Amino acid sequence: IGSKRRQRVASGRKAGNIMASPDAENPEQLAQPEEVNNEVEVMKEKAGCRCCPRTRQGWLICGCSTCVCVLGVLILIVAIVVGNMGGNGITELPSETRVDTQEGVDPTNAMRITWLPGCGEGNKTDEEIDACGGSCFNSSFISQIESFYASNGFRMVNFSSRAGPEGQDVVQIQAWWIPPAPGINLGAGTPPRVVVSHGTNQNQNKFETQIAGFLLASAGFGVLLPSLRDHGYSGSSSHGLFSWGWDYPYDILGAWDYAKEDPHGILGGPTDQVGVMGFSMGGFTAMNAFGMEPAIPAVWADAPVFSVKDILLQEMRAQGGPLGDLGIEFAWRFANSEVELHYNHPAGVLPNGPDVNRKVYIVQNSEDETVPTSQQDKLIELLEAYPQKYTLSGYWLTSAVCNEDKHRILHLMFPSKYRERLCLFWTDVFGLSQDRCTDGSLVKIAGR
């Protein structure tokens, strides 16, 4: 049978040069080549297929289009991979968050043990501090902080974070309570208090908050130095992520509640005069708490982050150049897959504040590349858009480099100037006499 069919097909081709199906028994079923081609083209047209060329030029066009499509897919894949890496990086909890919390470390020795710009982690002698501190800081300043705390009567306190509206974990927060220096009378009644929020890779035993505690307390203010959840001595979250605006503000609000109400009778009694302060990510957190709680009278923010997404894009550009721009939206999706980093953020919470002209002070190093001045520009622009809500009491912008570090180091390099500004700002906020801030009666800071 197969042989007869092949003979019929062969004879048909010879006779009329026609194409036929091997099963064609009826000549009427045979079609002319042009008719077949036309039908195929019509089918292609209906299917939207125009990349089946019959000419060399057509093949070239089709090949280029395919290359563009493949390149687009590859770029998309790279953007997704870069986005995944960036998104995971911004929420990965750094390993340093609980460093310097081993037994025996407290404010009397933490500054000598913790990492400092130019100086490594671990206990350091005066000679080693003078050598690694260089022109930025010296052992006299470090020793003065330790001596101040040794006679200060500090103690560890604990309290719960505030409950969040979306099921954020309520965790136990640990904090150092630093009483105000004795003999300083800024006004009648209970001395005002300030809650200080640390930044990334920091906790209550690291230099950011330890220096701030000394500067504030030596100027007559009570100070609460908490560690955020998953940091220092504080409790752990269920997600184990670096969670930014999702739940950190509730830790600072829990600290503010504790400092205000003094439920254990440790701080000297309740008071309404409690402000907040923060560094870097802690500035972002303090600013969020300030926007969320209308009873907080003022906030001091040193190198505060305004937008986590901006910082993420900056890091991605630094690592991948233009790929950062391609991957940022994927990165932001990955970063927010478990917790919402901007659940609370300055642009979202500050516009909702009360119309009572609350005071804000911003500190920024113009050399800072970790949190650039563009972040403060955006924050100031937002504050100025609500003059009935906020007053920018001061913006200290200066240039400094501390052993190649440019981020949140002004209170380490210029502690006397920093304390004077702190004293003037907070006494103004709380309606107290400012004479002591500038008349030289405060203890002189060693080595500065």
Side-chain angles (χ1 to χ4, degrees):
I1 297 174
S3 176
K4 291 182 179 179
R5 285 180 177 173
R6 287 193 293 272
Q7 290 176 2
R8 286 200 299 270
V9 172
S11 62
R13 286 175 178 167
K14 290 179 181 178
N17 193 28
I18 60 174
M19 297 179 65
S21 168
D23 294 323
E25 299 289 348
N26 190 341
E28 294 179 359
Q29 294 179 342
L30 303 177
Q32 295 296 325
E34 290 185 4
E35 294 176 357
V36 172
N37 288 338
N38 289 338
E39 290 179 6
V40 171
E41 291 301 323
V42 170
M43 293 173 65
K44 291 177 181 177
E45 194 74 22
K46 290 180 178 179
C49 178
R50 294 183 175 83
C51 194
C52 299
R54 290 174 294 169
T55 65
R56 183 177 181 181
Q57 182 180 10
W59 279 110
L60 181 61
I61 294 173
C62 186
C64 291
S65 300
T66 302
C67 288
V68 170
C69 292
V70 171
L71 180 61
V73 171
L74 290 176
I75 292 175
L76 179 62
I77 293 173
V78 171
I80 292 174
V81 172
V82 171
N84 184 38
M85 295 172 62
N88 290 335
I90 201 72
T91 57
E92 183 178 359
L93 198 64
S95 59
E96 296 89 346
T97 60
R98 297 197 187 275
V99 169
D100 301 327
T101 58
Q102 64 269 30
E103 185 177 355
V105 180
D106 60 38
T108 65
N109 57 18
M111 283 293 293
R112 189 173 297 274
I113 293 172
T114 190
W115 175 91
L116 295 166
C119 302
E121 186 76 30
N123 194 40
K124 294 170 279 291
T125 66
D126 286 348
E127 292 75 18
E128 289 171 334
I129 291 174
D130 288 332
C132 62
S135 61
C136 182
F137 56 90
N138 58 33
S139 61
S140 297
F141 178 50
I142 304 304
S143 295
Q144 183 181 27
I145 295 175
E146 295 173 333
S147 297
F148 175 83
Y149 284 135
S151 61
N152 173 261
F154 68 87
R155 63 179 298 176
M156 184 80 78
V157 296
N158 65 87
F159 46 85
S160 295
S161 62
R162 247 195 219 183
E166 296 291 337
Q168 287 90 342
D169 298 323
V170 175
V171 299
Q172 282 296 302
I173 302 299
Q174 303 284 331
W176 291 121
W177 162 242
I178 313 297
I184 299 178
N185 183 16
L186 294 175
T190 303
R193 298 163 189 156
V194 180
V195 176
V196 182
S197 179
H198 64 76
T200 305
N201 294 334
Q202 296 278 313
N203 59 50
Q204 67 202 73
N205 279 350
K206 288 180 172 287
F207 83 91
E208 281 181 0
T209 53
Q210 286 292 309
I211 296 175
F214 163 68
L215 298 179
L216 285 164
S218 66
F221 303 97
V223 191
L224 199 62
L225 306 179
S227 286
L228 300 173
R229 64 188 65 200
D230 298 311
H231 292 73
Y233 303 104
S234 292
S236 301
S237 66
S238 60
H239 52 68
L241 298 171
F242 201 73
S243 47
W244 293 86
W246 171 247
D247 48 18
Y248 289 162
Y250 301 107
D251 299 343
I252 296 303
L253 288 172
W256 183 83
D257 292 338
Y258 182 85
K260 177 176 178 290
E261 298 164 6
D262 188 18
H264 302 147
I266 295 173
L267 314 185
T271 178
D272 292 331
Q273 294 187 317
V274 182
V276 293
M277 173 181 176
F279 296 86
S280 190
M281 177 274 290
F284 172 86
T285 304
M287 195 64 68
N288 280 331
F290 176 65
M292 296 160 65
E293 175 51 70
I296 298 177
V299 61
W300 176 289
D302 188 324
V305 171
F306 179 76
S307 167
V308 182
K309 189 175 183 181
D310 286 352
I311 299 301
L312 174 59
L313 176 58
Q314 173 183 292
E315 291 299 314
M316 292 179 65
R317 284 173 173 170
Q319 298 296 324
L323 291 177
D325 293 88
L326 291 175
I328 180 60
E329 295 304 326
F330 293 106
W332 191 241
R333 283 181 174 271
F334 284 123
N336 288 274
S337 60
E338 293 189 53
V339 295
E340 188 177 344
L341 305 186
H342 272 185
Y343 182 77
N344 297 293
H345 64 116
V349 299
L350 289 175
N352 301 322
D355 296 344
V356 292
N357 287 114
R358 293 188 294 167
K359 292 179 171 60
V360 178
Y361 200 106
I362 297 174
V363 178
Q364 179 65 30
N365 182 1
S366 60
E367 302 291 330
D368 196 337
E369 298 171 348
T370 304
V371 180
T373 56
S374 59
Q375 291 289 284
Q376 279 62 63
D377 293 340
K378 291 182 178 181
L379 176 56
I380 292 172
E381 182 180 359
L382 177 63
L383 295 171
E384 291 177 343
Y386 297 94
Q388 74 282 13
K389 298 179 182 294
Y390 307 108
T391 296
L392 184 61
S393 297
Y395 180 29
W396 184 22
L397 178 66
T398 191
S399 174
V401 179
C402 178
N403 298 326
E404 300 184 1
D405 198 310
K406 305 172 184 178
H407 184 49
R408 42 87 175 104
I409 44 87
L410 297 182
H411 64 328
L412 175 62
M413 290 191 68
F414 313 116
S416 295
K417 292 180 180 179
Y418 204 102
R419 183 178 65 179
E420 180 178 314
R421 286 170 168 79
L422 280 172
C423 184
L424 290 171
F425 174 69
W426 288 113
T427 51
D428 177 54
V429 167
F430 298 127
L432 305 173
S433 171
Q434 296 182 316
D435 293 343
R436 191 172 293 273
C437 303
T438 57
D439 65 9
S441 58
L442 297 179
V443 60
K444 180 177 175 58
I445 294 179
R448 292 291 181 268

